[in-house]
Amino acid sequence: QVSPATDWQFCSGKFHSTIQDSLCGYHSATGGIWVAKYDPVTGFNFTRWATVSPAAGWHFVAANFRDNLLAELVGYHPSNGTVWRGRNLGSSFQFDLWRTLFVAGAWKLMAVDVAATGRGVLTAYHAATGDLYQYDYPNASNGPLTLEPRATVTPATGWQFQSGEFDTNSGVDVIGYHSSNGTLWLGRETEQQPRPPKPPAGKGKE
């Protein structure tokens, strides 16, 4: 049980070890980020790993972006389009500005670890244009957040997306749901996929 009862957003990842997933909770009223590993006797025991400012308005996803086998957080704030990377220090997150995305407020982020490499892949959907971009972290402990275009959906708005390895192609696919007609679409990652123009370069810590 969490307290207070409301204003929480949760995600999961291997924050403590490579074997067991932990739960990460962000509280939008205080900006606190809490992480807990499940214990079969005591349940989830949360400890504060970070506090973000401003407190409200963040969206967080988790994956292994650093090749250290432990999950990190990526936080997006729609007020200014900034994307922040929370490095996993073992018992806390250290946040650094990763990039500022153009057209603040229009983005939805997804993240998944690829089974073949163990590395995190970040997918971003631009709700105003319908463009989907992807970021595959390079073979380095540090690197820029470079979003590569992958597809454009029509209509542009009204979608919910979830990334994952749904096909057996060893790539990161997306499932898209559109509320206008209840359809589900599978977007397979392919090398020959048509790609829209790259987004304008944003500022970030590179």
Side-chain angles (χ1 to χ4, degrees), residues 43-68:
F44 287 104
N45 299 304
F46 284 91
T47 57
R48 187 191 292 263
W49 279 36
T51 301
V52 291
S53 180
W58 292 87
H59 173 62
F60 289 98
V61 295
N64 171 27
F65 296 106
R66 194 177 159 194
D67 292 336
N68 68 348

Side-chain angles (χ1 to χ4, degrees), residues 165-171 173 188:
E165 295 180 275
F166 301 108
D167 200 0
T168 56
N169 58 0
S170 299
D173 311 306
R188 297 180 178 88

Side-chain angles (χ1 to χ4, degrees), residues 68-157:
N68 68 348
L69 303 180
L70 294 178
E72 298 185 316
L73 279 186
V74 171
Y76 166 68
H77 205 279
S79 67
N80 53 14
T82 52
V83 179
W84 297 77
R85 175 184 169 197
R87 301 172 190 270
N88 187 340
L89 302 182
S91 59
S92 64
F93 294 117
Q94 177 185 316
F95 282 93
D96 298 304
L97 179 62
W98 217 3
R99 179 174 174 145
T100 300
L101 301 177
F102 71 103
V103 192
W107 295 91
K108 302 293 182 183
L109 302 184
M110 301 151 275
V112 64
D113 286 332
V114 179
T117 64
R119 294 208 316 269
V121 173
L122 187 69
T123 304
Y125 158 59
H126 192 278
T129 64
D131 292 333
L132 285 160
Y133 300 92
Q134 198 171 84
Y135 172 72
D136 190 351
Y137 198 66
N139 289 311
S141 60
N142 296 285
L145 173 56
T146 304
L147 290 168
E148 297 291 341
R150 288 292 183 263
T152 301
V153 292
T154 302
T157 61

